[in-house]
Amino acid sequence: MNKALRPAVIAGNWKMNKTPAETSALISEIKPLVANADCTVIVGVPFVDLSEALEAVKGSKIGVAAQNCHWKESGAFTGEISPVTLAGMGVEYVILGHSERRQYFGETDRSVNARLTAALAAGLKVILCVGETREERESGITAEVVRKQIKLALQNITGEQLKNIIVAYEPVWAIGTGLTATAEQANDVCAIIRACTAELYDNAAAQRLTIQYGGSMNAKNAAELLAQPNVDGGLIGGASLVAADFAAIATAASK
Ligand code: PGA
């Protein structure tokens, strides 16, 4: 299987932006602009905006993602959100292991694995984020860092479950900084992730895996990044908050 046969997936990560009312409004703006996009389009909104998002995407093919979930179905975890609750609401995707969660909220490869296991068990599809810091890249250990993140996140995940996982390669130094990995850098690391998946599972599983690039992807640089043989989509922060820019990226990803 080659790139042309893998689903292209463009996902917006809205982070801690937009009220419920603003969510409805932005999705209404995005909807007509992506109606003809030949790729999967997802919006990842704050928890409290999920109901509005699910309502607003009706009549379109836009999927809705949460930005995190807990590793238990229920229990004494004040302030946390269960993957079962998300799935029960009709949420289809969850973003896990984002570098901001690793950096500010103590997320580790182990906790990412636990959340991922629970999310899949609840029937959610997962966008699993990995990526190196600037220091790690400058030390020449990008491949090791990303391989370790992938191996630990996917521990005890079966080949069948892998079909419900999208990997997002997001170099931490490129997130929200305006610095984008070159198309070659993005492709190289996405290829490393694919090779690592082939080692863990098999080549067919690795060839099926959708791998996104994320980190200052925008309407201008998307086409070049998305043209790379191992880059199958994008996880987009800032530019996903502007309907026209997000739609332009979805158009660039369309096959
Ligand atoms: P950015 O964020 O596009 O604003 O760099 C990407 C992300 O954090 O997913």
Side-chain angles (χ1 to χ4, degrees):
M1 185 186 275
N2 63 25
K3 178 185 167 87
L5 299 170
R6 285 192 287 271
V9 182
I10 295 299
N13 175 11
W14 291 13
K15 310 192 180 185
M16 196 174 71
N17 294 294
K18 303 296 173 189
T19 64
E22 289 167 347
T23 293
S24 302
L26 181 53
I27 292 175
S28 303
E29 253 191 278
I30 292 171
K31 232 166 140 171
L33 303 179
V34 300
N36 296 320
D38 191 13
C39 64
T40 301
V41 177
I42 301 168
V43 290
V45 305
F47 285 127
V48 294
D49 298 350
L50 285 167
S51 291
E52 278 74 9
L54 289 164
E55 191 57 38
V57 298
K58 281 190 182 153
S60 77
K61 290 182 293 181
I62 302 174
V64 173
Q67 298 173 11
N68 189 25
C69 70
H70 199 260
W71 54 80
K72 289 281 191 204
E73 286 187 12
S74 62
F77 300 102
T78 303
E80 291 296 313
I81 305 286
S82 160
V84 175
T85 305
L86 296 174
M89 287 178 78
V91 172
E92 193 177 350
Y93 300 90
V94 62
I95 299 168
L96 292 176
H98 191 277
S99 67
E100 286 151 16
R101 296 225 52 94
R102 295 179 192 256
Q103 187 178 350
Y104 304 126
F105 303 103
E107 197 75 72
T108 64
D109 291 322
R110 295 277 174 219
S111 62
V112 172
N113 173 252
R115 291 180 205 271
L116 188 138
T117 303
L120 293 173
L124 295 169
K125 295 176 189 152
V126 173
I127 298 177
L128 165 66
C129 304
V130 297
E132 82 288 1
T133 62
R134 176 191 287 267
E135 197 186 5
E136 288 162 344
R137 175 163 285 268
E138 285 170 357
S139 305
I141 58 169
T142 297
E144 286 93 326
V145 168
V146 170
R147 283 173 55 86
K148 177 172 170 241
Q149 289 173 335
I150 289 287
K151 282 185 171 180
L152 292 177
L154 296 181
Q155 232 166 33
N156 300 317
I157 300 299
T158 65
E160 205 44 41
Q161 288 175 306
L162 187 71
K163 292 178 182 165
N164 288 320
I165 298 175
I166 293 163
V167 173
Y169 165 55
E170 297 207 308
V172 180
W173 48 271
I175 295 178
T177 58
L179 292 174
T180 314
T182 63
E184 192 187 355
Q185 285 171 328
N187 188 61
D188 285 352
V189 183
C190 290
I192 288 166
I193 291 167
R194 200 174 304 287
C196 183
T197 313
E199 284 169 35
L200 295 174
Y201 299 90
D202 55 36
N203 196 42
Q207 289 304 318
R208 261 196 311 268
L209 181 69
T210 291
I211 305 179
Q212 300 172 313
Y213 167 79
S216 300
M217 187 186 271
N218 58 40
K220 286 205 171 68
N221 61 26
E224 191 191 356
L225 288 159
L226 293 166
Q228 299 304 307
N230 279 293
V231 180
D232 306 312
L235 181 56
I236 296 109
S240 73
L241 297 169
V242 179
D245 291 357
F246 187 58
I249 299 170
T251 302
S254 298
K255 298 191 171 170

